[in-house]
Amino acid sequence: MTRVGLLPEVDLPSGWTAPVPALGFHAAAAVAAAVMLAMPWPSLGVRVAIIVLTYHVGMLLVGRTAWGRGWGRAWLVLAPLSVLMVAPDWFLSAELGTLVFPDTGAPFIGTVPVFMAGMWVMALFPLVLVAGWVEARFGARAGVAGAALAGAALFWAAESLAPLVPLWEPVAVEKAAGIASYVLPAEVMLSAAAWLLVRGALWRSRTVTAVGVVVLPVAYTGALVLGWQFMR
């Protein structure tokens, strides 16, 4: 079959479409994270780094089982993307001055804590699972919409909770319901685009996928700048 366009028909891995393993894994991850955050030691930054690393290891281990088919494939796309997503955060914190990362005891990459290089997987992989479940039941276009809507909800929650931990905090920008409103359009775009990138890896060449991994953080940065210009 010749595949063209953004949404050709593909056979999604069963691990992307089965809700029970996904819910079970993320429920366990949430409980483990809550316990780790409640501990008085080591430093917050080290605890967060352990949470992030444990999530990655758990994702790969489940990906080796029948319940997690396709999880490893998604990780191969999202992990390098997560590392590159340090650049937009660095730009916001160092150049625009709209984001502050407190010193939580973790090493920094520029102005960004090192654990952020892996944390984007924790944000984007659940969206892959939501989009895969929706697509399997309602079609490819619905899957993209599901990723975008789930991304809006997830990132709104993340932006609301992050200052309380604290992981990061928006500064010098307009806020709506306690969050920096200018980031949400860019994060919705990122959610849909990340799903298309992961989904596309099922049929596109590795080279094309790698180019997409590099381009998406650049596009996200541009969307953030436009949001900041018109919505700050």
Side-chain angles (χ1 to χ4, degrees):
M1 177 188 298
T2 300
R3 295 187 173 102
V4 294
L6 287 175
L7 294 171
E9 291 186 10
V10 293
D11 293 324
L12 298 179
S14 60
W16 296 4
T17 61
V20 174
L23 291 173
F25 173 79
H26 285 91
V31 171
V35 170
M36 197 70 189
L37 289 175
M39 294 176 62
W41 54 270
S43 66
L44 175 61
V46 172
R47 281 178 280 150
V48 173
I50 292 172
I51 291 169
V52 172
L53 179 60
T54 302
Y55 184 96
H56 282 249
V57 172
M59 180 178 168
L60 291 173
L61 289 176
V62 174
R64 296 177 64 87
T65 70
W67 297 286
R69 289 193 179 110
W71 287 27
R73 186 188 294 254
W75 185 88
L76 288 173
V77 177
L78 294 178
L81 175 63
S82 185
V83 172
L84 293 178
M85 289 295 289
V86 168
D89 284 338
W90 193 344
F91 176 76
L92 294 183
S93 54
E95 301 300 328
L96 285 190
T98 59
L99 189 63
V100 171
F101 292 97
D103 186 357
T104 56
F108 274 70
I109 303 173
T111 56
V112 182
V114 68
F115 55 73
M116 292 299 297
M119 189 171 284
W120 285 95
V121 173
M122 299 175 67
L124 296 175
F125 182 56
L127 305 183
V128 169
L129 300 177
V130 169
W133 182 87
V134 172
E135 176 170 331
R137 286 150 183 82
F138 305 106
R141 290 183 178 85
V144 177
L149 292 173
L154 184 147
F155 281 112
W156 181 86
E159 298 289 349
S160 299
L161 294 174
L164 303 178
V165 175
L167 295 177
W168 66 82
E169 183 175 3
V171 293
V173 290
E174 289 289 332
K175 297 181 182 179
I179 69 170
S181 54
Y182 83 97
V183 303
L184 284 180
E187 288 171 341
V188 171
M189 179 278 292
L190 173 67
S191 301
W195 164 240
L196 290 173
L197 187 60
V198 173
R199 185 185 189 275
L202 296 175
W203 58 277
R204 291 193 176 105
S205 69
R206 293 180 180 178
T207 300
V208 172
T209 299
V211 170
V213 168
V214 173
V215 168
L216 183 51
V218 177
Y220 175 67
T221 304
L224 287 170
V225 171
L226 287 175
W228 173 79
Q229 181 175 4
F230 293 107
M231 299 176 64
R232 57 177 168 165

